[in-house]
Amino acid sequence: MDPRTTVEAMLRPDLRGRTAYGAPQLEVPVALNTNENSYPVPAVVVDAIAAAVREAAAGLNRYPDREFTALRRALAAYLSRSGTRVTAEQVWAGNGSNEVLLHLLQAFGGPGRTALGFTPAYSMHPIITTTTGTTWLDGMRGVEGHGAFDLDAASAVRQVVEHRPDVVFLCSPNNPTGTALGLDVVEAVHDAAPEALVVVDEAYEEFARPGTPSALTLLAGRPRLVVTRTMSKAFALAGGRLGYLAADPAVTEALRLVRMPYHLSTPTQAVALAALAHADLMLETVDVIKEQRDRVVAELGALGFEPVPSDANFVLFGHLADARATWQALLDRGVLVRDVGIPHYLRVTAGTPDETTRFLEAVAALAPTPTGAAP
């Protein structure tokens, strides 16, 4: 190789010119841009985590439990609380749900295979897809006579039949729109793609409004269906980096072929187990966050904006003349929200009551009336 060859020239062709994922990490009074839980881990749980890590530390000379057996059992027990029985053999976990998604694509994607998602949706889906050499197919949302961000069974099936993907991503509640899917959409997509793995990303499921169903209820008899979750949001454990999934045991067995040895460290397993042992306490803030989310929707609507009704811990709002200028104006007032790249829209996380007040006051001070047109 010519010693003058640049790193850019050596990079895989499909990665050249791409931009790495990265939400701004800025020191601001009110950070509402990454859908974190604004409430700190309760002191009781902090003590339990510290004790668990301390106990585990004496054995750090040994590799961690490669099968993370106790953690899989605890996650299965937590999921089974919803009324749908999940066994430890159905559970897989990784360092955040992104690693879990990576494992799925390493096992079921790859060169010559395709993954279909319905955008706008979670921006990491196409990024992770590309890193595995899988071809990303950009499906579209929007239902005539309904919201611009809705996805119905007929539209989803039509796109699945057209593209015949190897992996299909469904996001419910969807990020960045906050909209949830009916189980009819999941069932229809699953049936229309008999050779595809169907992945339902439920990272925000704990924040869903009453009556919003989980795809966990569809797992029985559907070995190609996968439901992914995370402890980053409702469990306020974003720094713990623990994501997981439930699926047929054949899927979790396949993921063992692609995971790195001992991929979940002993401290990671200890932290997650301590948090799960206090699940009720960790989830106490969920209802408060949902109240603030609904408050944001109501008050933004009263201000003349166009908030999208949400089943997540965030709200996408539109009718902005210039989303980027609005983002900067809010930042100048000490409030950091997310520009998700949708013209005339921004996304804000539902935080504490005080954070919500700060955000709403900042928005109200920007302009008399928003003038942008919705897409």
Side-chain angles (χ1 to χ4, degrees):
M1 179 179 293
D2 189 325
R4 294 169 297 179
T5 301
T6 65
V7 171
E8 178 70 16
M10 295 162 55
L11 189 64
R12 278 171 33 190
D14 59 319
L15 296 179
R16 293 174 192 164
R18 291 183 176 270
T19 302
Y21 173 88
Q25 289 187 305
L26 306 175
E27 291 293 332
V28 294
V30 182
L32 300 174
N33 69 320
T34 53
N35 301 337
E36 296 161 318
N37 189 318
S38 290
Y39 293 90
V41 176
V44 171
V45 186
V46 171
D47 291 341
I49 289 173
V53 172
R54 181 178 180 83
E55 180 179 351
L60 290 179
N61 59 308
R62 301 295 185 184
Y63 286 115
D65 175 8
R66 184 176 57 242
E67 294 302 311
F68 46 101
T69 308
L71 179 56
R72 283 192 292 113
R73 289 172 180 161
L75 288 168
Y78 169 69
L79 291 175
S80 297
R81 289 173 25 153
S82 66
T84 299
R85 183 174 180 270
V86 176
T87 66
E89 291 71 27
Q90 292 178 271
V91 173
W92 188 254
N95 294 285
S97 59
N98 287 332
E99 185 177 51
V100 170
L101 295 171
L102 176 61
H103 288 164
L104 289 169
L105 283 160
Q106 286 176 316
F108 298 99
R113 296 191 174 189
T114 59
L116 171 68
F118 301 92
T119 57
Y122 182 38
S123 62
M124 282 302 298
H125 288 163
I127 293 174
I128 297 172
T129 296
T130 301
T131 64
T132 63
T134 312
T135 299
W136 174 258
L137 301 173
D138 208 11
M140 301 305 294
R141 290 174 175 268
V143 179
E144 187 175 352
H146 298 275
F149 304 119
D150 286 338
L151 179 67
D152 68 0
S155 174
V157 166
R158 185 168 57 251
Q159 296 178 72
V160 165
V161 171
E162 176 187 354
H163 294 293
R164 299 181 63 188
D166 298 284
V167 179
V168 180
F169 285 109
L170 297 171
C171 207
S172 183
N174 185 50
N175 178 13
T177 65
T179 48
L181 292 176
L183 293 186
D184 63 312
V185 179
V186 179
E187 291 180 285
V189 167
H190 180 273
D191 293 346
E195 298 179 352
L197 191 77
V198 178
V199 181
V200 185
D201 188 331
E202 290 190 347
Y204 300 93
E205 194 279 336
E206 285 94 344
F207 298 103
R209 289 171 290 183
T212 303
S214 166
L216 284 176
T217 60
L218 300 178
L219 284 177
R222 293 182 175 86
R224 294 180 293 103
L225 183 63
V226 177
V227 179
T228 64
R229 296 282 187 91
T230 182
M231 294 184 72
S232 293
K233 311 302 181 181
F235 270 84
L237 211 64
R241 309 309 302 129
L242 199 291
Y244 58 104
L245 63 74
D248 189 271
V251 172
T252 60
E253 187 63 28
L255 299 184
R256 289 176 170 84
L257 300 174
V258 298
R259 58 99 178 266
M260 292 292 101
Y262 314 106
H263 71 290
L264 282 178
S265 74
T266 297
T268 295
Q269 295 183 45
V271 169
L273 281 166
L276 286 164
H278 295 82
D280 290 337
L281 181 57
M282 294 292 282
L283 296 173
E284 278 188 351
T285 61
V286 168
D287 285 341
V288 179
I289 292 169
K290 290 165 68 173
E291 289 174 4
Q292 296 310 304
R293 173 200 66 200
D294 295 341
R295 176 188 170 197
V296 169
V297 170
E299 296 196 27
L300 283 178
L303 289 170
F305 296 90
E306 292 182 349
V308 179
S310 175
D311 280 285
N313 70 334
F314 57 83
V315 177
L316 185 73
F317 63 102
H319 209 219
L320 305 172
D322 186 332
R324 186 64 185 178
T326 302
W327 178 88
Q328 184 62 56
L330 289 171
L331 182 59
D332 292 342
R333 290 166 171 78
V335 179
L336 179 61
V337 299
R338 187 70 177 271
D339 183 349
V340 294
I342 303 175
H344 309 297
Y345 280 84
L346 293 172
R347 191 194 71 194
V348 60
T349 306
T352 65
D354 179 64
E355 289 174 332
T356 301
T357 297
R358 296 277 297 274
F359 162 72
L360 291 169
E361 289 176 347
V363 169
L366 294 182
T369 306
T371 57

